[in-house]
Amino acid sequence: MSNARRRAPLVALAQAIDPDAAEILEGELPPTPGRPLAILLGAAYPALRPRTSWQLTALDELARAGWRLRRTRGDLVDRLRGATAGALDVAALRSALRRAVWAEKARIAVREILPLRQGGAELRVTARELSELADAAFEVALAEASAYVAGRFGPPLRSDGEPSTLVVFGLGKLGGLELNAGSDVDVVFLYDTDDGGSTITLHEHWTRVAQRAVETLDEYTADGAVWRVDLRLRPEGSRGALVNSWSAAERYYVTWGRLWERSAFVRARPIAGDLELGRRFQDQVIAPFVYRRDVEPAIATTLAELVERARVELSADV
């Protein structure tokens, strides 16, 4: 069977979804290996319609390399690291990261729309892959930011001489491995201790790292953005510090943590950085905070009020 005949079902599916868009794309796009993928993307997901030469090239590469197989978190980290490895400066790295993430989002989107018998994926698989793609993007952004800040101010060291570390927690849809293509990513930054420093305090050091990593992901450029990052779920919300040490975060949650914060951390998980630090914090601080030993009779009423408030706010935004 020829390549053209193998690719025909993708174009037929695009025509069934949006015949007008498919017809326009068929007339505009050159006969390249990725053309059927481009037509299907443009018809099914207008936001992912390829509009630049690099996007068309990315789809050509996907068509040649194959795009039907599930990619794990490790696969995605390796691919994004490989795509950004040759970057000579931060602008080049950010551009390469945006383009690599777009290509993976396109691959995931095509797999979602296709029937399973044609190499498609179930919705739960799509949500997990998108979540793990966000994990991988954070790993790359955090590594670049950490290297940059350490290059300026020296390595962050604890008072015992060991390296200080930071972990990124994903909450909400990201934390629950339920991300969709249009979701923001809700994150919280935590580092191990305030005892130590580089040539600046550890709090200032990790604040600079977090700021730079978020800028890498959130900044909108000609290549788009990697992901919109929402930091409002951190302790004290928008008024609070961008990063918190273990002790500061523990003190906050034990003393001031509210019910909606307990609800938010039900789906929290460490997504980038020192994952072992994150797992220990989750076991020792978050689990006792979320799942209290004492029964609270008023919790059902308070949760119902939170749900109703969320519905009202959602209705106001529509």
Side-chain angles (χ1 to χ4, degrees), residues 4-33:
R5 292 186 64 190
R6 282 201 302 271
R7 292 195 294 268
L10 301 184
V11 178
L13 183 56
Q15 292 169 337
I17 293 170
D18 190 334
D20 293 336
E23 183 177 354
I24 292 171
L25 289 163
E26 283 191 272
E28 292 179 350
L29 296 172
T32 62

Side-chain angles (χ1 to χ4, degrees), residues 38-228:
I39 293 171
L40 181 56
L41 273 178
Y45 304 102
L48 285 173
R49 176 177 176 174
R51 301 180 185 278
T52 65
S53 59
W54 68 261
Q55 289 172 326
L56 295 173
T57 298
L59 295 179
D60 287 345
E61 292 173 356
L62 280 176
R64 294 191 190 98
W67 42 269
R68 288 180 170 84
L69 295 178
R70 159 92 165 90
R71 287 181 183 161
T72 66
R73 183 186 188 279
D75 296 332
L76 293 165
V77 170
D78 289 344
R79 294 183 73 86
L80 296 191
R81 283 176 176 165
T84 57
L88 299 178
D89 55 34
V90 68
L93 179 138
R94 289 174 177 177
S95 177
L97 182 60
R98 279 158 175 70
R99 295 183 180 195
V101 168
W102 184 91
E104 292 299 330
K105 286 181 178 179
R107 179 188 60 81
I108 294 168
V110 172
R111 291 182 70 235
E112 180 183 24
I113 198 64
L114 283 181
L116 294 179
R117 65 180 180 276
Q118 292 184 28
E122 296 177 346
L123 179 60
R124 61 180 179 81
V125 176
T126 293
R128 186 180 187 94
E129 272 201 85
L130 282 171
S131 301
E132 292 176 337
L133 177 59
D135 293 3
F138 264 96
E139 288 283 18
V140 172
L142 192 62
E144 188 282 331
S146 296
Y148 174 80
V149 175
R152 287 194 64 193
F153 300 102
L157 300 176
R158 302 194 310 243
S159 56
D160 61 5
E162 292 297 314
S164 174
T165 58
L166 173 136
V167 63
V168 185
F169 275 97
L171 284 73
K173 292 180 180 179
L174 174 59
L177 294 168
E178 299 169 345
L179 206 59
N180 60 54
S183 298
D184 296 351
V185 289
D186 297 303
V187 299
V188 170
F189 291 93
L190 176 88
Y191 60 98
D192 50 3
T193 179
D194 282 313
D195 296 329
S198 52
T199 56
I200 54 180
T201 66
L202 285 176
H203 180 78
E204 185 177 356
H205 188 104
W206 290 121
T207 296
R208 289 173 181 267
V209 169
Q211 287 172 333
R212 187 175 177 91
V214 169
E215 185 177 335
T216 290
L217 299 171
D218 193 70
E219 184 183 40
Y220 193 88
T221 70
D223 294 324
V226 178
W227 246 291
R228 296 190 305 273

